Amino acid sequence: MKLVLSLAKLLKKVLAVLVLIAMVMSAYMLWARPYQLNWGATELELNQAMPGDHLDPQPEFFATRGITISGTPEEIWPWLLQMGYGRAGYYGYDIVENLGSPRGIRSADHILPEFQEFKIGDEVPISSVARMVFYAIEPNQYLIWTGTNQKGSFLWALYPMDDKQTRLISRIRWSFHWTEPGLLSLDLFTEFTDYLAVREILQGVKGRVEKQSEPMARQNIEVAIYVLTALTFLVTSLSLLIRRLTLKRWLTGLATGVVWLVTWFLPLPIWVGVCLEVLVFWTLFNLRDFLTKRCKLNDNTI
């Protein structure tokens, strides 16, 4: 009888966690994902054909993002061409993207002549273990990275608006490797982190061309907040399986999921992310009850 009751409690907890994750993932699919796939892009850019589209005509992951840069295509192009692990970096979250790079952790803040003469077929090191190749290079217009099997494409394109401003567009197309578990895990990681990386890359290129680069300390704080919010959601969700299941704890888990979505997929100021995370910890560790008891103890002492 006790075994049956224990199994029933465990099943209830598992169901509660599954419902929690399903609600958060539903919000991601319905709201966060569409927003992050189209960050910064205009309606025209979203719908227009671009180079590399034929490499995966019906992709499962299709993202078009853009940013306006005060500069000409000729000024922006060298920054794009030299990107890569062990090269100029990605001008984004260096502490993650350049970890272990032989050229150091910080992305280049100037043009590197030794990385300006690439040709089609040359490798593009994405990380210490991943490689892509240049599929197409049209100077001052666009370049395309693709996998060695030439399926899927990573496009960086330049569209001048006038003599002083240019649109930098990133378009990514690929399909998930459902039959290859090793690659599928990388696909899923990219699904949730690609937006953070590409958004920061676009802003990093803009900052360098306009000579207003973001301090690395700020980037590191953002990375810490992203990791903390994700871990908090994961830990609070899994803790429902080992702690007594209550409505308050389940709602706290839901709140951490909402904070994760808001922090990752909205371009909020850092202080907003910090405040949201403090609020979660306030609820999570019952700080209000602790402070109340402490005040009562001080009153009794007096």
Side-chain angles (χ1 to χ4, degrees):
M1 187 64 178
K2 290 183 178 180
L3 179 59
V4 173
L5 291 175
S6 297
L7 290 175
K9 288 182 179 179
L10 179 59
L11 181 60
K12 184 178 179 181
K13 290 180 178 181
V14 171
L15 182 60
V17 172
L18 291 177
V19 170
L20 171 62
I21 294 176
M23 290 182 67
V24 174
M25 287 298 101
S26 295
Y28 170 76
M29 294 300 294
L30 294 173
W31 164 73
R33 193 177 195 267
Y35 169 77
Q36 66 100 344
L37 291 177
N38 301 329
W39 181 84
T42 66
E43 195 67 29
L44 176 63
E45 292 164 348
L46 294 176
N47 295 315
Q48 75 180 85
M50 292 186 181
D53 285 354
H54 65 284
L55 293 174
D56 195 345
Q58 296 181 317
E60 293 172 304
F61 187 97
F62 178 37
T64 302
R65 296 145 178 152
I67 197 168
T68 300
I69 299 177
S70 296
T72 64
E74 291 76 14
E75 292 172 321
I76 302 169
W77 176 256
W79 297 100
L80 302 179
L81 194 61
Q82 67 184 14
M83 282 198 298
Y85 181 82
R87 294 177 180 172
Y90 297 97
Y91 324 123
Y93 293 117
D94 293 341
I95 194 172
V96 176
E97 295 163 344
N98 292 335
L99 187 63
S101 171
R103 296 189 66 89
I105 199 75
R106 185 62 170 160
S107 290
D109 57 5
H110 59 281
I111 304 302
L112 305 175
E114 64 269 34
F115 298 123
Q116 295 296 316
E117 300 296 331
F118 293 112
K119 61 183 183 299
I120 294 173
D122 285 347
E123 281 193 344
V124 182
I126 302 301
S127 68
S128 59
V129 296
R131 296 287 186 276
M132 300 188 80
V133 297
F134 284 105
Y135 176 85
I137 302 175
E138 289 294 335
N140 304 320
Q141 296 181 49
Y142 66 85
L143 60 83
I144 299 173
W145 302 339
T146 187
T148 54
N149 61 0
Q150 294 188 354
K151 184 176 181 180
S153 61
F154 286 65
L155 166 73
W156 303 94
L158 296 170
Y159 295 92
M161 300 174 65
D162 51 39
D163 293 339
K164 297 181 179 179
Q165 290 187 312
T166 303
R167 290 286 290 172
L168 170 57
I169 305 299
S170 163
R171 174 168 285 183
I172 301 175
R173 310 172 68 100
W174 89 74
S175 296
F176 295 102
H177 299 78
W178 297 111
T179 60
E180 302 176 69
L183 293 177
L184 180 59
S185 60
L186 180 61
D187 287 342
L188 294 176
F189 176 78
T190 304
E191 163 74 29
F192 292 105
T193 61
D194 168 81
Y195 160 67
L196 301 178
V198 173
R199 182 185 67 184
E200 192 67 13
I201 290 172
L202 293 173
Q203 293 174 331
V205 174
K206 175 182 174 68
R208 281 163 172 76
V209 173
E210 297 179 356
K211 296 180 172 51
Q212 296 178 351
S213 297
E214 185 180 54
M216 189 173 178
R218 180 184 176 85
Q219 296 175 357
N220 293 344
I221 293 173
E222 290 181 359
V223 170
I225 292 173
Y226 293 147
V227 172
L228 187 60
T229 53
L231 287 178
T232 303
F233 172 49
L234 179 63
V235 170
T236 52
S237 299
L238 295 179
S239 69
L240 295 175
L241 296 174
I242 59 177
R243 302 180 67 189
R244 186 168 65 89
L245 181 62
T246 65
L247 179 59
K248 181 179 179 180
R249 286 174 180 160
W250 188 87
L251 290 175
T252 300
L254 181 61
T256 62
V258 172
V259 170
W260 167 64
L261 288 175
V262 170
T263 304
W264 278 44
F265 301 109
L266 276 182
L268 297 174
I270 284 182
W271 67 267
V272 176
V274 172
C275 290
L276 287 173
E277 195 62 17
V278 169
L279 182 61
V280 167
F281 277 102
W282 179 281
T283 304
L284 192 61
F285 295 107
N286 297 312
L287 295 182
R288 183 179 300 175
D289 294 339
F290 171 79
L291 292 176
T292 301
K293 292 178 182 179
R294 188 62 180 265
C295 288
K296 288 182 179 179
L297 180 61
N298 290 339
D299 290 342
N300 293 335
T301 303
I302 296 173

